[in-house]
Structure formats: C-alpha cells, structure tokens
Amino acid sequence: MKKTVLFCFILLISGGLCAETSKHKLPKQIDPHSFANFDEVVVTHMSLNLQANFKKSRLEGSNTLRYQVLKPTAKHLILDTRDLVIKRITYPGSKKELKAKWHLIQADNGLGAALKITLPENHPDLTIHYHSQPQASGLQWLTASQTAGNKHPFLFSQSQAIHARSWIPSQDSPSVRTTYTATITAPKALWVVMSAQNQAEKSADGVYHFNMPQAIPAYLIAIAVGDLAYKNISKHVSIYAEDAYLEKAAYEFAETENMITAAEKLYGAYRWGTYDLLILPPSFPFGGMENPRLSFITPTVIAGDRSLDSLIAHELAHSWSGNLVTNASWRDLWLNEGFTTYFEARITEAVHGTERMKMEAALNLQGLKAEMAEMDPKYQALALKENINDPDDVFSGVAYDKGRFFLEWMEVAVGRPTFDAFLNKYFDDFAFKSISTDQFLQYLDKHLIQPSQGKITMKAVKQWIYEPGLPDTLPVPTTDRFKVIDKQVADLTINDKGLKKIASDQWTTQEWLHFMKALPEQLNQKQMQALDNHFQFSQAANAEIAHVWLMMSIKNDFQPAFARLISYLNEIGRMKLIVPLYQALAESKAHQNLGKNIYQSARPGYHNLARYKIDPLFPDMKFETQDAK
Ligand code: BES
Ligand code: ZN
C-alpha cells in the first residue's frame, strides 16, 4: 500500500478524512488572504488548551471553537491552517466522544491549508486536537543562548499578518473577531504571557489561565514564554522583560502612562483595561506589535534617553486604530497603520512637544521619499488594487507615512477641532468592527467631506488613496532644529578641525539622525575616519544611529566599522534595521562575501520572517533547513 493511502485509511477509520488534496477544491474566498467562510459560519469564541513543548519546538493541545451559523444552508466550517498537524476533531459535551469529518486542502499560494469541517447537527462547539510544527511561521523558538539570561529558552509569537494560522486553527481574517480563553502549560521555570489580562506573579505549577473578553481578530492573539521578570510602573502599565532589560525598560518607557492620558484626551477612553509592555529578545523581527493589553517591544529602542519611545506611542495608538477599528483585509493595511502613525505623532506631540514630533515627521518623510523613488508605482497607492499573494511582500512606508500625511492634510484643511471630533466619532461608530477602504470613504464623505463645504473633496481624497506618489498638497514638516543643522552641514569641511565647530552637545537622537543623513553620500576614508574619531559612531549605543552609520560605512567602504557591523547583525534581528544592511552588502561587489559570511553565522538566530526577506539577497547560498513560510 502506498504511504498516503495507508495514511488516509488510518484517518478514515479514526473518524476523520484524509489530507489528500486532489479530490477537494479550494473554497472560494471572501478575504483574499483567508479561506474562512465567515459569511456562512463565523467563529465567535476560542478556548485554547496548549502545552509549550520546548524539546520538540511545538505547541500541543487543542482549540475549542464556538461558532454561529449565519446561513442555514451552510454545511461546513472552514478554517485557516498552515503547517499544523491535526490529530482529530471532536464535539465536546457529548457523553461518548463524537468525531467530526474533516479534511485539509493544501493551497500552493502561501496561504496554508483550508481545514474544512463538516458541521454536525446541534453542536455549538467543536474541539480540534492538534500541534504546531517547528517551522511554524508565527512562532520563534529561541535556545537559551539566544536570550539575554542565557539560562532558559524563549518562545514568542508574531501573528500579523497571516501567521496565527500556523499555531491556531482559526478563521484568520482581520474581518473575524473572537473572544478567547487559554490554558497554557510551560516548564515551571518560565512565565507565560498573552495578549489578554496577565498575572503579576509567576505561577507555581507552570499552568497559566488567560481571558480576553473583548472580541479581537486572530492576528492579535499572542503568546510569549520565557524567563521573565515583572515590574509595575504606573496605574495602567507594567513591564515584562528578562531581568537584564527590566530596569532599563522601566526608565525608558516611563512616559507610557502620560501617553495613555494624552491618547484618551484625543480620541476617547482606552477600552482594554491595563496596558503592559513585553520586552522581547533582540531577534524580535519588528519594532513593536500591538497585541492587545500587552504590546510586544524590541529591546533596540532602549536607547537610555527615552528618545525612541514614539514606538510605544505607536503601539498604544493601535489600541484605537487597528485593535478597536480594524482593517477588513490586508489590502486595507493603511487603515491600521496610517491612522496609527498619525495618532502616534499626536501623542508624541502631546508628551514630548511639537519639535520632537516635527523632527520625526521630517525624518519619516525623507525615508518615505527615498523608498518610493525605488518602488513600483502600483504599490504606492494607499489602498492596493493589485491582488497581493502574501501581505508581507508589500510591507512599506506607504501605508504608514503616506497614510499619516493624508490624515494630516485633512486635519490642516478642516482644522484640528473638526478633524479630532470626526476621528472620535469614527472610533466610536466602528468600535470592535472591521472596515474596508470603501466603507471608510462612504463614512468620510458623509461625516467630513460634505460638511467641509469644499475644504476637502472626494477627488482629492481619491488621489491620496488610489494614485501613486505624493500629492502636491502634502503638508511638508519643517523644523528650525533641522534648519540649523542643514546650515552647519552646508558650511562643513569634513576633517578634524571642521568637525570641532559642529555644536552637537545638545543634540537629540533625531538631530543626530538628520545630521548623518544630511552629509554627502560619498565620503572618503579620511572623512569617514574623522567623523568616527570625532563622534565615535562605530561605538554608538543607539541602534538607529548605529544603523545609519553602518549603512554609510558599507557604502563608503569604511572597514574600521566592520567589526561593529558584524556584532550588530549577529545581535539583533529587527528587520527594519538589518535588512537594508544586508541589501547594501549584497549589492556591493567588494563586500558581498562579507555579507554572506555574516549571514551564515547570524541566520540561525533570525526569525522566519527575516530569513524570508534576506535569503533571496544571497541566491547562491545554501541553507541547512529550508524554512516553510
Ligand atoms: N503592526 C505593526 C507591525 C506589523 C505590520 C507586523 C504589518 C506585520 C505586518 C506594528 O504596529 C508596527 O507598525 N511596528 C513598527 C513601528 C514603527 C512604525 C513605529 C515597527 O515594527 O517598526
Ligand atoms: Zn503599526
């Protein structure tokens, strides 16, 4: 008997159906990135019961789903999965364990496999017994040596955009919201946290119970397991971090409570109870992730002077834009990220002042323009018309900064009080709902465009949303602090004597970044050396400043900085900071080999998402394990 046939037979007699794909067609999709049939049957609650098995690098257990049948003719519940091993599906509550019929239909477009379950009569829940696999795209299993403490392993999830399905069989579309509860078992030495109400103490027996009473999309379900310490820092805010980061993070993010106060004043009550921060190991692939009640934060923003805490403002702002009002599909990502980047700036302005906000805006605009200069015009629209296979592929500054400047343009046109009142109502009217760009436009027309009496028009709005590039009406951020620097750079002769005249004593991180970016792109060895002697850029503790310096060093072949380049790339895995460095190395004939060597040693410590971005830069490299994505 062929292996697959035997496999099918075993599954058949155990009550399920086989995972053979040929006979079953992929279901029609409502969301381009999900197979879930949430127009017919919708999951309303999930109850996870999982064990973190560090030896096998997998989560094992079950998910019990409660669902609601919207169309009485519906025969199946369809869920998203990716690389999950489904063992059996049963109906809880029945005296004899009843088994459901199901099959997996594998897609070849990166969306995973549809799990099609035949609906029983009169059973409102079903339990899926399953485990994840080591290559789960949404989980990173770190060994002890990849953590700061060096003693215990660490696990964290990153579910946005479509990775929840790699550890939870679920309707993995941002249009579907569920409440969840979870019981998680982990080795006793470790602490488990989730995007839910968290405990202030480690449990004695390694068992943790969670409850998320507000309905959230699957991409916001998050877990981390590690040797964590805990510190409450204010009314709403506590920090979870490895011991090595705890006190530093408590200092760095001390403004968080003020940010909550400022945000509530702007756009209404914070609706999620507490707002905690989890500091992850440095391989975390993003700056931050807005998991509800517990933002996940990279340690690379711990600069020692609170200068990079806008990241917290950003993740906090998602508690309104994103977590409360959610983009209906990943094509509408700008509704999450553009609104959040605008809101982030308003919080930063309230907490750190207008100058800091404007400096960040100017740096972001400069970055956006540079990015767009190299980008296919079809990806420069806020709302993408293109069918995108993998939402990770079109991740760029467009959704963030173009989105933000679009909102600022409207703010300037109608005046701040009117715009704030509009946003307040928007968050209220769409609270706990998902919204598409079309729905947004309808709402905008009624509540802002028409009442504005010509101050903003639908035509101008549509240009922002559907056309490439940046409209002429772009509100350009200017700040005197940068003008002073521009003047000094214009007069500068880059040598030891010239650099002594630069008055940098009081510069903040943003001024340093602007200064470095204002320098000529081509610098010779003497000039690079003079800059390094004078400002010790190769030793910069600030990860953003070090990043810009290392970019300059690769481009100008400044080898004295390469020891730092090697340690930098081996220590951190935040994609925004490392991918451009690898790109520069891969593009440089002289340093491509250095790039390969560094990548060879650093790759095992990187997240799947980072590998997925960096692997293609070195096409002739062979890797031991080809990770499933
Ligand atoms: N939600 C995003 C991260 C994300 C976006 C993950 C899309 C997967 C797909 C998060 O809020 C974010 O935007 N992080 C930024 C923060 C920065 C813009 C302040 C980051 O990680 O750099
Ligand atoms: Zn964001």
Side-chain angles (χ1 to χ4, degrees):
M1 213 186 294
K2 259 174 69 186
K3 237 191 197 163
T4 45
V5 177
L6 179 67
F7 181 60
C8 288
F9 180 70
I10 291 168
L11 274 172
L12 262 171
I13 55 168
S14 71
L17 279 177
C18 73
E20 264 303 280
T21 59
S22 52
K23 280 191 282 2
H24 302 286
K25 271 206 278 179
L26 280 166
K28 75 169 196 333
Q29 287 176 245
I30 315 163
D31 173 334
H33 303 112
S34 165
F35 292 117
N37 59 337
F38 54 89
D39 58 338
E40 297 180 329
V41 187
V42 68
V43 176
T44 57
H45 179 80
M46 298 200 277
S47 171
L48 296 163
N49 193 333
L50 295 170
Q51 191 180 350
N53 184 336
F54 280 89
K55 287 205 182 83
K56 294 188 171 163
S57 296
R58 63 196 209 188
L59 289 171
E60 305 167 334
S62 66
N63 182 11
T64 298
L65 303 101
R66 173 148 296 179
Y67 56 85
Q68 199 188 337
V69 179
L70 303 177
K71 268 197 198 148
T73 50
K75 294 203 170 55
H76 299 100
L77 166 65
I78 305 177
L79 304 177
D80 294 295
T81 70
R82 177 192 272 158
D83 293 330
L84 290 183
V85 174
I86 310 286
K87 294 204 197 132
R88 59 183 203 283
I89 302 181
T90 58
Y91 304 116
S94 43
K95 276 198 192 120
K96 199 169 136 256
E97 195 180 65
L98 289 173
K99 288 187 177 134
K101 282 192 172 163
W102 57 274
H103 54 262
L104 275 173
I105 312 165
Q106 184 66 44
D108 57 10
N109 57 1
L111 297 181
L115 174 58
K116 199 167 172 183
I117 307 165
T118 305
L119 284 178
E121 302 215 349
N122 299 328
H123 281 284
D125 336 76
L126 48 84
T127 301
I128 303 172
H129 304 264
Y130 73 102
H131 64 76
S132 66
Q133 297 201 67
Q135 74 268 30
S137 62
L139 299 175
Q140 191 177 14
W141 298 85
L142 296 171
T143 61
S145 64
Q146 291 168 316
T147 67
N150 248 310
K151 281 210 199 91
H152 298 282
F154 202 106
L155 161 69
F156 66 84
S157 68
Q158 168 55 43
S159 296
Q160 193 185 4
I162 56 166
H163 305 287
R165 64 191 65 175
S166 74
W167 64 285
I168 306 174
S170 53
Q171 291 191 315
D172 192 9
S173 160
S175 282
V176 179
R177 308 179 83 92
T178 70
T179 50
Y180 79 83
T181 53
T183 299
I184 310 287
T185 311
K188 275 190 202 142
L190 305 183
W191 192 328
V192 185
V193 289
M194 287 192 85
S195 55
Q197 191 62 49
N198 283 292
Q199 303 177 189
E201 275 167 20
K202 199 193 260 190
S203 95
D205 56 3
V207 182
Y208 291 77
H209 299 284
F210 300 93
N211 181 24
M212 171 43 93
Q214 286 123 324
I216 55 166
Y219 82 90
L220 291 177
I221 304 181
I223 188 171
V225 185
D227 183 14
L228 296 172
Y230 168 88
K231 184 176 174 124
N232 171 259
I233 63 166
S234 65
K235 190 170 160 218
H236 294 92
V237 188
S238 301
I239 298 190
Y240 293 86
E242 282 194 78
D243 216 21
Y245 295 127
L246 191 66
E247 289 307 324
K248 287 183 192 143
Y251 175 82
E252 200 74 24
F253 306 132
E255 294 287 1
T256 308
E257 189 71 35
N258 292 336
M259 290 180 178
I260 298 172
T261 310
E264 289 194 309
K265 222 168 126 194
L266 282 167
Y267 303 126
Y270 176 77
R271 304 204 199 194
W272 306 88
T274 51
Y275 179 70
D276 296 338
L277 302 173
L278 169 71
I279 314 304
L280 287 126
S283 72
F284 186 59
F286 288 100
M289 177 63 211
E290 65 272 24
N291 298 315
R293 297 184 185 209
L294 180 69
S295 283
F296 282 26
I297 303 295
T298 171
T300 61
V301 289
I302 304 179
D305 59 3
R306 302 179 184 168
S307 64
L308 301 175
D309 68 356
S310 295
L311 177 91
I312 307 296
H314 181 98
E315 303 314 334
L316 171 66
H318 273 305
S319 308
W320 287 258
S321 41
N323 299 3
L324 199 56
V325 182
T326 308
N327 51 210
S329 99
W330 297 116
R331 279 197 208 162
D332 306 308
L333 178 70
W334 79 275
L335 288 171
N336 276 19
E337 297 302 344
F339 274 69
T340 295
T341 307
Y342 173 81
F343 194 171
E344 167 202 334
R346 296 291 302 274
I347 296 171
T348 299
E349 181 175 29
V351 172
H352 290 299
T354 303
E355 280 301 317
R356 161 97 171 253
M357 182 274 278
K358 290 256 162 135
M359 290 192 285
E360 289 179 347
L363 288 166
N364 288 347
L365 179 58
Q366 191 187 9
L368 176 65
K369 283 183 171 166
E371 211 182 347
M372 278 179 143
E374 316 229 312
M375 195 188 278
D376 187 332
K378 68 182 181 207
Y379 296 129
Q380 296 183 10
L382 287 179
L384 298 177
K385 290 188 193 136
E386 290 295 309
N387 210 357
I388 38 166
N389 247 347
D390 185 339
D392 291 337
D393 288 345
V394 290
F395 186 75
S396 82
V398 171
Y400 288 76
D401 298 306
K402 185 175 172 183
R404 169 249 164 99
F405 287 117
F406 164 52
L407 295 193
E408 198 173 323
W409 165 74
M410 292 197 282
E411 179 211 307
V412 174
V414 300
R416 199 170 253 200
T418 305
F419 193 61
D420 283 353
F422 164 78
L423 283 182
N424 253 290
K425 192 169 155 49
Y426 167 80
F427 288 131
D428 221 40
D429 286 347
F430 290 101
F432 298 105
K433 294 198 176 109
S434 301
I435 176 174
S436 67
T437 299
D438 281 349
Q439 282 169 293
F440 169 73
L441 281 176
Q442 269 179 28
Y443 187 85
L444 186 76
D445 191 37
K446 182 158 173 217
H447 296 281
L448 199 69
I449 299 181
Q450 289 187 26
S452 86
Q453 297 181 328
K455 286 184 186 145
I456 53 177
T457 63
M458 186 53 94
K459 188 167 174 245
V461 165
K462 285 194 169 164
Q463 188 191 349
W464 275 98
I465 294 183
Y466 294 116
E467 300 300 324
L470 291 166
D472 296 339
T473 49
L474 171 82
V476 178
T478 55
T479 139
D480 288 344
R481 303 258 288 268
F482 282 2
K483 282 186 192 149
V484 173
I485 294 175
D486 290 339
K487 232 172 137 215
Q488 294 193 63
V489 172
D491 298 339
L492 179 68
T493 320
I494 305 174
N495 57 31
D496 287 331
K497 224 167 141 197
L499 289 168
K500 274 205 187 103
K501 293 191 204 137
I502 297 279
S504 61
D505 290 2
Q506 305 291 318
W507 281 358
T508 59
T509 298
Q510 287 70 32
E511 284 158 302
W512 279 111
L513 292 173
H514 180 72
F515 170 72
M516 297 169 88
K517 290 177 179 180
L519 291 169
E521 262 188 47
Q522 304 263 324
L523 294 164
N524 63 32
Q525 296 300 301
K526 266 203 177 141
Q527 291 172 317
M528 288 295 286
Q529 192 63 62
L531 282 163
D532 209 9
N533 290 346
H534 208 73
F535 300 124
Q536 262 92 54
F537 285 138
S538 292
Q539 277 79 50
N542 183 304
E544 295 273 356
I545 293 175
H547 168 82
V548 177
W549 176 246
L550 295 173
M551 286 298 285
M552 291 167 66
S553 299
I554 298 169
K555 289 188 175 154
N556 289 299
D557 190 23
F558 183 61
Q559 302 197 15
F562 285 7
R564 178 65 193 280
L565 177 68
I566 294 166
S567 63
Y568 189 92
L569 289 172
N570 275 288
E571 275 157 23
I572 67 181
R574 182 178 171 192
M575 294 190 289
K576 181 188 135 189
L577 297 177
I578 63 168
V579 175
L581 290 169
Y582 280 112
Q583 257 155 1
L585 286 165
E587 278 163 20
S588 136
K589 273 213 178 87
H591 302 307
Q592 205 183 62
N593 274 335
L594 175 66
K596 286 184 198 167
N597 287 339
I598 301 176
Y599 190 41
Q600 194 74 48
S601 79
R603 188 177 182 277
Y606 290 155
H607 193 277
N608 250 317
L609 289 172
R611 296 179 189 181
Y612 177 72
K613 288 243 148 66
I614 304 166
D615 283 357
L617 298 174
F618 303 108
D620 56 337
M621 278 179 86
K622 295 258 177 305
F623 304 110
E624 262 175 34
T625 51
Q626 207 56 51
D627 296 286
K629 224 286 308 179

